[in-house]
Coordinates of all heavy atoms in Angstrom, one line a residue:
Chain A
H231 N 40.0 -52.9 200.9 CA 39.1 -52.6 202.1 C 37.8 -53.5 202.0 O 37.0 -53.5 203.0 CB 38.7 -51.1 202.3 CG 37.8 -50.6 201.0 ND1 38.2 -50.3 199.8 CD2 36.4 -50.4 201.1 CE1 37.1 -49.9 199.1 NE2 36.1 -50.0 199.9
L232 N 37.6 -54.2 201.0 CA 36.5 -55.0 200.8 C 37.0 -56.5 200.8 O 36.1 -57.5 200.6 CB 35.7 -54.8 199.5 CG 35.1 -53.4 199.5 CD1 34.2 -53.3 198.0 CD2 34.0 -53.1 200.7
A233 N 38.1 -56.8 201.2 CA 38.7 -58.3 201.1 C 37.8 -59.0 202.1 O 37.5 -58.6 203.2 CB 40.1 -58.1 201.6
G234 N 37.3 -60.2 201.7 CA 36.8 -61.0 202.6 C 35.3 -60.8 202.7 O 34.6 -61.5 203.4
Y235 N 34.7 -59.9 201.8 CA 33.3 -59.6 201.8 C 32.4 -60.7 201.1 O 31.4 -60.9 201.3 CB 33.0 -58.3 201.1 CG 33.0 -57.0 202.1 CD1 34.2 -57.0 203.0 CD2 31.9 -56.3 202.1 CE1 34.1 -55.8 203.9 CE2 32.0 -55.1 202.8 CZ 33.1 -54.9 203.7 OH 33.1 -53.8 204.6
D236 N 33.2 -61.5 200.3 CA 32.4 -62.6 199.5 C 32.5 -63.9 200.3 O 33.5 -64.1 201.1 CB 33.0 -62.7 198.2 CG 34.4 -63.3 198.2 OD1 35.2 -62.8 199.0 OD2 34.6 -64.4 197.4
A237 N 31.5 -64.8 200.1 CA 31.5 -66.1 200.7 C 31.9 -67.1 199.6 O 30.9 -67.6 198.9 CB 30.2 -66.4 201.3
H238 N 33.1 -67.4 199.4 CA 33.5 -68.3 198.3 C 32.9 -68.0 197.0 O 32.4 -68.9 196.2 CB 33.2 -69.7 198.7 CG 33.6 -70.2 200.1 ND1 34.9 -70.1 200.5 CD2 32.9 -70.5 201.2 CE1 35.0 -70.5 201.8 NE2 33.8 -70.7 202.3
G239 N 32.9 -66.7 196.7 CA 32.4 -66.4 195.3 C 31.0 -65.8 195.3 O 30.6 -65.2 194.3
I240 N 30.3 -65.9 196.5 CA 29.0 -65.2 196.5 C 29.2 -63.9 197.1 O 29.6 -63.7 198.1 CB 28.2 -66.2 197.5 CG1 28.0 -67.5 196.9 CG2 26.7 -65.6 197.6 CD1 27.2 -68.6 197.8
L241 N 28.4 -62.9 196.2 CA 28.5 -61.7 196.6 C 27.1 -61.1 196.9 O 26.2 -61.4 196.1 CB 29.1 -60.8 195.5 CG 30.7 -61.1 195.3 CD1 31.0 -60.9 193.8 CD2 31.6 -60.2 196.2
A242 N 26.8 -60.3 197.9 CA 25.6 -59.8 198.3 C 25.7 -58.2 198.1 O 26.3 -57.6 199.1 CB 25.2 -60.3 199.6
Y243 N 25.0 -57.7 197.1 CA 25.1 -56.3 197.0 C 23.6 -55.8 197.3 O 22.6 -56.5 197.3 CB 25.2 -56.0 195.5 CG 26.6 -56.1 195.1 CD1 27.2 -57.3 194.5 CD2 27.6 -55.0 195.4 CE1 28.5 -57.3 194.1 CE2 29.0 -55.1 195.1 CZ 29.4 -56.3 194.4 OH 30.7 -56.4 194.2
S244 N 23.6 -54.5 197.8 CA 22.3 -53.8 197.9 C 21.5 -53.7 196.6 O 22.1 -53.6 195.5 CB 22.5 -52.4 198.4 OG 21.5 -51.6 198.2
R245 N 20.3 -53.9 196.7 CA 19.5 -54.0 195.4 C 19.1 -52.6 194.9 O 18.5 -52.6 193.9 CB 18.2 -54.9 195.6 CG 17.5 -55.1 194.4 CD 16.5 -56.4 194.7 NE 15.7 -56.7 193.5 CZ 14.4 -56.6 193.4 NH1 13.8 -55.9 194.2 NH2 13.9 -57.0 192.2
I246 N 19.4 -51.5 195.7 CA 19.0 -50.1 195.4 C 20.0 -49.4 194.7 O 21.1 -49.4 195.2 CB 18.5 -49.4 196.7 CG1 17.6 -50.3 197.5 CG2 17.9 -48.1 196.2 CD1 16.3 -50.6 196.8
C247 N 19.7 -49.0 193.5 CA 20.8 -48.2 192.7 C 21.2 -47.0 193.5 O 20.4 -46.2 194.0 CB 20.2 -47.9 191.3 SG 21.2 -47.0 190.2
T248 N 22.4 -46.7 193.3 CA 22.9 -45.4 194.0 C 22.7 -44.1 193.3 O 23.1 -43.1 193.7 CB 24.3 -45.6 194.2 OG1 25.1 -45.8 192.9 CG2 24.8 -46.7 195.2
H249 N 22.0 -44.3 192.2 CA 21.7 -43.1 191.4 C 20.3 -42.4 191.8 O 20.2 -41.5 192.5 CB 21.8 -43.4 189.9 CG 21.2 -42.3 189.1 ND1 20.3 -42.5 188.0 CD2 21.5 -40.9 189.1 CE1 19.9 -41.4 187.6 NE2 20.7 -40.4 188.1
A250 N 19.3 -43.2 191.4 CA 18.0 -42.7 191.8 C 17.1 -43.5 192.6 O 15.9 -43.3 193.0 CB 17.2 -42.4 190.5
G251 N 17.8 -44.7 193.1 CA 17.1 -45.5 194.0 C 16.1 -46.5 193.3 O 15.2 -47.0 194.0
C252 N 16.3 -46.9 192.1 CA 15.4 -47.9 191.5 C 16.0 -49.2 192.0 O 17.2 -49.4 192.4 CB 15.5 -47.9 190.0 SG 14.8 -46.5 189.4
A253 N 15.2 -50.4 191.9 CA 15.6 -51.7 192.3 C 16.4 -52.2 191.0 O 16.0 -52.2 190.0 CB 14.4 -52.6 192.5
I254 N 17.6 -52.9 191.2 CA 18.4 -53.4 190.2 C 17.8 -54.8 189.9 O 17.8 -55.7 190.7 CB 19.9 -53.6 190.7 CG1 20.5 -52.0 190.8 CG2 20.7 -54.5 189.9 CD1 21.8 -52.0 191.4
T255 N 17.2 -54.9 188.7 CA 16.6 -56.1 188.3 C 17.2 -56.8 187.1 O 16.7 -57.8 186.6 CB 15.1 -55.7 187.9 OG1 15.2 -54.8 187.0 CG2 14.3 -55.4 189.2
L256 N 18.3 -56.3 186.6 CA 19.0 -56.8 185.4 C 20.3 -57.3 185.9 O 21.1 -56.6 186.5 CB 19.1 -55.8 184.2 CG 17.9 -55.0 184.0 CD1 18.2 -54.0 182.9 CD2 16.7 -55.9 183.5
Y257 N 20.7 -58.4 185.3 CA 22.0 -59.0 185.5 C 22.6 -59.5 184.2 O 21.9 -60.3 183.5 CB 22.0 -60.2 186.5 CG 23.2 -60.8 186.9 CD1 24.4 -60.1 187.1 CD2 23.4 -62.2 186.9 CE1 25.6 -60.6 187.4 CE2 24.5 -62.8 187.2 CZ 25.7 -62.0 187.4 OH 27.0 -62.7 187.8
R258 N 23.7 -58.7 183.9 CA 24.3 -59.3 182.5 C 25.3 -60.4 183.0 O 26.2 -60.2 183.8 CB 25.1 -58.0 181.9 CG 25.7 -58.3 180.7 CD 26.4 -57.1 180.1 NE 27.7 -56.8 180.7 CZ 28.3 -55.6 180.6 NH1 27.8 -54.7 180.0 NH2 29.5 -55.5 181.2
A259 N 25.0 -61.6 182.4 CA 25.6 -62.7 182.8 C 26.2 -63.5 181.6 O 25.5 -64.3 180.9 CB 24.7 -63.7 183.6
P260 N 27.4 -63.2 181.3 CA 28.0 -63.9 180.0 C 28.2 -65.5 180.3 O 28.5 -65.9 181.4 CB 29.3 -63.3 179.9 CG 29.7 -62.8 181.3 CD 28.4 -62.5 182.0
L261 N 27.7 -66.2 179.3 CA 27.9 -67.6 179.2 C 29.3 -68.0 179.2 O 29.8 -69.0 179.9 CB 27.1 -68.3 178.1 CG 25.6 -68.6 178.5 CD1 25.2 -69.4 177.3 CD2 25.6 -69.5 179.6
F262 N 30.1 -67.3 178.3 CA 31.5 -67.6 178.1 C 32.3 -66.3 178.2 O 32.4 -65.6 177.3 CB 31.6 -68.2 176.7 CG 32.8 -68.7 176.3 CD1 33.5 -69.8 177.0 CD2 33.7 -68.1 175.3 CE1 34.9 -70.1 176.7 CE2 34.9 -68.6 175.0 CZ 35.6 -69.6 175.8
Q263 N 32.9 -66.3 179.3 CA 33.4 -65.0 179.7 C 34.6 -64.4 178.8 O 34.6 -63.2 178.6 CB 34.0 -64.9 181.3 CG 32.9 -64.9 182.3 CD 33.4 -64.2 183.6 OE1 34.2 -63.3 183.5 NE2 32.7 -64.5 184.6
P264 N 35.4 -65.3 178.2 CA 36.5 -64.8 177.5 C 36.0 -63.9 176.3 O 36.6 -63.0 175.9 CB 37.3 -66.0 177.0 CG 36.9 -67.0 178.2 CD 35.6 -66.7 178.5
D265 N 34.9 -64.3 175.7 CA 34.4 -63.7 174.4 C 33.2 -62.6 174.6 O 33.0 -61.9 173.7 CB 33.9 -64.7 173.6 CG 35.1 -65.2 172.7 OD1 36.1 -64.8 172.8 OD2 34.7 -66.2 171.8
E266 N 32.8 -62.6 176.0 CA 31.6 -61.7 176.1 C 31.8 -60.6 177.2 O 32.8 -60.8 178.0 CB 30.3 -62.7 176.4 CG 30.1 -63.6 175.2 CD 29.2 -64.7 175.7 OE1 28.6 -64.6 176.8 OE2 28.9 -65.6 174.9
P267 N 30.9 -59.5 177.1 CA 31.2 -58.5 178.1 C 31.0 -59.1 179.5 O 30.4 -60.2 179.8 CB 30.0 -57.7 177.9 CG 29.4 -57.9 176.5 CD 29.8 -59.3 176.3
K268 N 31.8 -58.6 180.4 CA 31.9 -58.9 181.8 C 30.5 -59.0 182.6 O 29.7 -58.3 182.2 CB 32.9 -58.1 182.5 CG 34.3 -58.1 182.1 CD 35.1 -57.1 182.9 CE 35.5 -57.6 184.4 NZ 36.1 -56.7 185.1

Side-chain angles (χ1 to χ4, degrees):
Chain A
H231 71 280
L232 296 179
Y235 270 47
D236 68 310
H238 309 297
I240 298 173
L241 293 150
Y243 284 98
S244 162
R245 195 164 177 251
I246 308 299
C247 178
T248 56
H249 169 233
C252 293
I254 286 168
T255 53
L256 311 177
Y257 180 43
R258 187 173 79 193
L261 267 186
F262 183 60
Q263 282 212 29
D265 271 0
E266 295 170 7
K268 292 177 72 180

